[in-house]
Amino acid sequence: MEWRAKPLITLTAACFFAVLILLLIFPFDGGFSTPNYQSQKKQSFVAPKTNIWADLTESEASDIYDFLYKDLTYLNLTKHPKSNRDNFIFIVEALRPNKTDAVSYLYDAGPAPRRWAKAAVAQHIHNEPYMVYYMVGPLPLSPESRTVPLEYVFNSGRNYVKNPVQDFVAISEFGLTIAENISDITQDLLGAVANRENPDDPLGLICWPRGSRIERGGFSLWFQLYKPGLGSGARTLLPQGIYAKVNASDANIDGWTVGQFYYNGVIYDTEEDFRAALSEPDFVRTPPNVDGPWSDTEDFESSPPGRELPPPVSVQPYGPRYRLDREQQYVSWFGFEFYITTAQATGLALFDIRFKGERVMYELGLQEAMAHYAGDDPMQGGLEFMDSFFGMGKTMFELVPGYDCPAYADYLDTRFHQAHKTHELPNSICVFEHTPDYLLSRHTAQYSVTASRNTYLIVRAVSTVGNYDYTFDYVFYMDGTLEIKVRASGFIFAAFYARNSNKNENEYGHRIHDALASSMHDHVLNFKADLDVAGPTNDMVRLALEPITTTYPWDKPEVKDRNTMHLVEHAVTEEAGLDWPKNSGEFYLVYSADQKNAWGERKGYRITSGTGMGSTPHLTILNSTTLGDSARWAEHDIWILQRKDTEPRSADPLNYFAPHDPLIDFTKMANHESLKHGEADSPYDGDLVVYFNLGAHHVPHSGDVPNTLQHTSASSVMFVPHNFNDRDPSRESVQGVRLQLKGTKNSGGFAGETSINGDLRSRLDRRVGAQKLHDIKYFGSTYEQGMKLPLEAFEPDLERYRSSEHAVTDLSYNGSAAGVWMKGAE
């Protein structure tokens, strides 16, 4: 079935980037409703507490906008900026409460923490553009409410970042001007020219910038020519081999100048030098990068054997086994309980995660998603993205039922508030239980075989940032394990392949099409896990498996020394960054400082690299020239820090604009403070926090064309109970069967059953009500006869759904945290 959407709007070249901004800030209003094919009673399930991390309601956001216009009159704020000199409110959203204020409400029956909001304001200070953070509250707004600078969460000592790019419309027009000024060159070398009237012209050219903040405070831009793609979204697969450098150090774009040009490994100092070189007899032309069916993500024509039949699907005939409070976004499932929330920059996050009534984590969520490239051309050679800058929450677009998630999943809507409007993102989170293709456990004994089904709960969202779709899974297992998994798919950001033996293209990737090369890059996604293992007072240890040579008295005299191994515990006594150990030779454990299980062992959780493509990585590049101090969290796999209200995050979206002097400098957080608690001269109370990285070292190959596949780009980290329970708690919840094997010996029977005539007998078969022999016994329920499911349980009718057009970030600064102004926006 075909997914129907409104046709794309034709844009004029002058407003191309501006309208992309407009679309992102004023996205689609439509959506779809998920059919409920299951005839079940509406669950009357209510969360035990209010979701104190929930985002603002539309009414709250509207009140905050009105309040800011009155409280910040000196800024002369405007709702619809018409000039890059206008001051305006870019975003408002909930300011999450400090943990110190929340724990009393959550665990000690104290009052709910006062609710506050934060706002990002684009304003001019001394005639220069800045992005400035404020906090507004308490809510609901009253005479005691106020607007104050939001400073305490930033270790830079300031709440603002200078915006180095004042006018994105002008930048897009500047790029088009570059292309137009060398139209004779582009026609000669690429067979195409820029089309200002229609930048989406598949035969035309567009011009993209890559910005770099340099350490001395300047701003440098390299522009590269691209083809827009034949409607497939494959723009990042269509780079062309012409690059132009722009001196953008002047605060006024009118003072920008075009300097060098780069083509086929040669730098030309001026446009005239480049043009003159074309007529030289030894000038070498490279083939252009031409679009075609090779970039299509769909193949509607091929029909290998088997494609005429649909694949197997998962169904849920009796309805969900989890319980969901939609209003509070609270979930309960087989001992797990938690709250769901989102943020504009970082998307999906979970709070107050408990298992069997005991505390496990206070907070679990994304902090930043970074991609750092390497290459031998001016674009790839310095390319990096910090995706929170573009909004991982703002780009959580609707999920496709029956494809992104099973047809039976529950779908939740989210919203964000930007540019004086509330934007609804329908069906952007799904919750469902799933049975994978492997058992949770099994065992074959001499007289019986036991098989336990494996089911887990998934909370899923997808963030589409430019060319990549990131699927985020929070997975809950019946034994108390949590897994955080990320998969990436979409178009790679590829490089132009020049076929030049003097270049080093194969040093950074592979040739993957006629004039296209892959570009190696690291994906490093940083997450926060505020563990409260059986309470807030925890210790971190490295439990090492170490070889040892020792002597045992029972070995003598035959063996004098025995080479073996043993466990050695190393306490982590100060803040540190750790990498996954060689040969998996250490267990990273977070223990409760005072709670033990029935056997006297400390209750704990193990942190381990989970399922996916090998161990999760950290950044390959040492002391990145591009990143500066904006992403030092990427330099190790996991970090253990003191938890502080003044350090709620490892990064901020506006770090992208100040990499050498970021709002949040992670090195100031991970500064080797003591993790010893209970000492008279230390304020540290044992409440630690873990930051960990997911991602991949991605060297794209021909199989990444047209799209990277999710099973080759997955990584995860798991938090596994380690003596947290007295035994495996999944035994209480799991569904399974034990089959008694035929034999002559009277052993291996079921607990509580006696032998009859020498045989183990007696089981009333619940499905047919007939007396049978002793051979089968189920734990949990089984499916009954006579089940009927409608077609939508297998293949949702997507013809019923209508989705309006929405924008996806184009990986320049459009629609990002920069707070751009919209030309002619209403």
Side-chain angles (χ1 to χ4, degrees), residues 310-528:
V313 296
S314 180
V315 295
Q316 183 178 267
Y318 295 148
R321 303 196 301 170
Y322 57 86
R323 294 179 293 174
L324 170 65
D325 181 340
R326 283 182 168 271
E327 181 178 355
Q328 299 299 330
Q329 296 200 326
Y330 179 79
V331 179
S332 176
W333 176 81
F334 286 109
F336 272 114
E337 299 168 301
F338 55 88
Y339 292 86
I340 300 171
T341 191
T342 59
Q344 291 193 36
T346 53
L348 183 63
L350 308 181
F351 280 86
D352 192 20
I353 302 172
R354 309 189 198 194
F355 184 67
K356 303 288 186 181
E358 292 201 78
R359 294 163 64 174
V360 176
M361 286 188 193
Y362 173 79
E363 177 184 357
L364 179 62
L366 179 70
Q367 304 294 293
E368 184 59 273
M370 179 263 290
H372 201 318
Y373 288 72
D376 75 334
D377 67 53
M379 178 63 74
Q380 302 294 332
L383 192 65
E384 56 88 15
F385 297 112
M386 300 284 219
D387 286 339
S388 75
F389 180 74
F390 303 101
M392 304 292 278
K394 294 188 297 184
T395 56
M396 285 172 48
F397 302 127
E398 71 271 41
L399 301 166
V400 183
Y403 291 84
D404 279 309
C405 313
Y408 59 77
D410 272 297
Y411 294 81
L412 304 176
D413 302 337
T414 59
R415 71 176 68 89
F416 65 93
H417 315 282
Q418 183 173 294
H420 212 269
K421 185 177 180 181
T422 294
H423 310 275
E424 298 290 341
L425 298 175
N427 301 280
S428 50
I429 299 173
C430 68
V431 182
F432 63 95
E433 189 179 12
H434 186 64
T435 301
D437 62 347
Y438 63 95
L439 291 173
L440 183 63
S441 65
R442 75 174 320 281
H443 180 62
T444 300
Q446 184 176 357
Y447 304 103
S448 64
V449 57
T450 300
S452 298
R453 278 198 173 110
N454 188 12
T455 55
Y456 45 67
L457 185 78
I458 296 178
V459 181
R460 174 173 293 167
V462 177
S463 295
T464 301
V465 185
N467 54 318
Y468 266 175
D469 290 55
Y470 295 96
T471 298
F472 295 94
D473 283 355
Y474 293 81
V475 189
F476 299 83
Y477 295 85
M478 286 186 169
D479 67 330
T481 293
L482 291 84
E483 182 177 17
I484 303 86
K485 192 163 193 172
V486 175
R487 300 175 177 88
S489 185
F491 293 102
I492 62 172
F493 204 115
F496 182 78
Y497 188 78
R499 307 188 197 181
N500 186 336
S501 61
N502 295 323
K503 294 173 91 270
N504 299 315
E505 292 168 298
N506 293 333
E507 188 178 343
Y508 300 97
H510 307 291
R511 182 182 176 189
I512 54 177
H513 204 254
D514 293 336
L516 192 67
S518 68
S519 186
M520 65 181 295
H521 54 281
D522 282 355
H523 290 284
V524 188
L525 296 91
N526 189 240
F527 287 79
K528 178 182 180 180

Side-chain angles (χ1 to χ4, degrees), residues 27 45 219 547 590 611 657 764:
F45 175 66
F219 195 60
V590 175
T611 60
F657 269 165
L764 183 63

Side-chain angles (χ1 to χ4, degrees), residues 55 138 354 527 619 677:
D55 199 5
R354 309 189 198 194
F527 287 79
L619 185 63
H677 53 86

Side-chain angles (χ1 to χ4, degrees), residues 522-529 540 576-582 588 607-609 614-620 632-641 666 690-697 715-717 719:
D522 282 355
H523 290 284
V524 188
L525 296 91
N526 189 240
F527 287 79
K528 178 182 180 180
M540 174 81 182
L578 304 174
D579 296 331
W580 299 117
K582 180 181 178 182
Y588 295 156
I607 311 168
T608 180
S609 193
S615 296
T616 56
H618 57 270
L619 185 63
T620 303
R632 296 292 183 182
W633 43 263
E635 295 176 350
H636 289 287
D637 295 326
I638 66 173
W639 299 82
I640 301 88
L641 277 66
F666 190 73
V690 171
Y691 289 94
F692 64 93
N693 292 322
L694 300 183
H697 300 308
S715 68
S716 81
V717 161
F719 294 83

Side-chain angles (χ1 to χ4, degrees), residues 163-389:
N163 185 346
V165 184
Q166 300 181 46
D167 189 336
F168 292 107
V169 174
I171 289 179
S172 66
E173 292 177 347
F174 193 94
L176 284 171
T177 299
I178 294 174
E180 289 171 335
N181 288 342
I182 59 169
S183 59
D184 57 328
I185 298 176
T186 64
Q187 182 65 51
D188 185 358
L189 298 178
L190 306 177
V193 296
N195 185 342
R196 185 176 289 273
E197 297 303 319
N198 180 18
D200 280 335
D201 175 5
L203 302 178
L205 295 172
I206 58 176
C207 201
W208 271 4
R210 173 187 66 78
S212 292
R213 292 287 282 157
I214 54 180
E215 192 162 0
R216 65 177 181 270
F219 195 60
S220 174
L221 291 171
W222 271 100
F223 282 81
Q224 182 175 8
L225 294 173
Y226 285 80
K227 288 281 185 77
L230 298 175
S232 66
R235 196 163 294 173
T236 56
L237 288 184
L238 297 171
Q240 308 302 315
I242 298 177
Y243 311 80
K245 187 175 185 179
V246 173
N247 180 356
S249 58
D250 195 314
N252 190 334
I253 198 169
D254 293 335
W256 291 9
T257 57
V258 179
Q260 298 171 326
F261 284 81
Y262 180 85
Y263 178 78
N264 198 14
V266 180
I267 292 178
Y268 301 94
D269 289 334
T270 66
E271 175 186 324
E272 290 72 21
D273 290 343
F274 188 16
R275 184 173 287 108
L278 267 66
S279 60
E280 297 295 330
D282 58 348
F283 183 84
V284 179
R285 288 169 168 77
T286 63
N289 186 13
V290 180
D291 198 6
W294 63 275
S295 70
D296 291 344
T297 55
E298 309 86 4
D299 183 343
F300 296 105
E301 306 300 329
S302 298
S303 55
R307 202 180 188 192
E308 73 279 5
L309 297 175
V313 296
S314 180
V315 295
Q316 183 178 267
Y318 295 148
R321 303 196 301 170
Y322 57 86
R323 294 179 293 174
L324 170 65
D325 181 340
R326 283 182 168 271
E327 181 178 355
Q328 299 299 330
Q329 296 200 326
Y330 179 79
V331 179
S332 176
W333 176 81
F334 286 109
F336 272 114
E337 299 168 301
F338 55 88
Y339 292 86
I340 300 171
T341 191
T342 59
Q344 291 193 36
T346 53
L348 183 63
L350 308 181
F351 280 86
D352 192 20
I353 302 172
R354 309 189 198 194
F355 184 67
K356 303 288 186 181
E358 292 201 78
R359 294 163 64 174
V360 176
M361 286 188 193
Y362 173 79
E363 177 184 357
L364 179 62
L366 179 70
Q367 304 294 293
E368 184 59 273
M370 179 263 290
H372 201 318
Y373 288 72
D376 75 334
D377 67 53
M379 178 63 74
Q380 302 294 332
L383 192 65
E384 56 88 15
F385 297 112
M386 300 284 219
D387 286 339
S388 75
F389 180 74

Side-chain angles (χ1 to χ4, degrees), residues 36 40 95 118-119 170 248 319 475 489 560 572-573 584 596 767:
N36 183 6
Q40 54 179 311
L95 179 63
K118 73 174 181 179
V475 189
S489 185
K560 178 180 178 182
V572 179
T573 59
S584 300
K596 298 181 179 180
R767 292 176 298 177

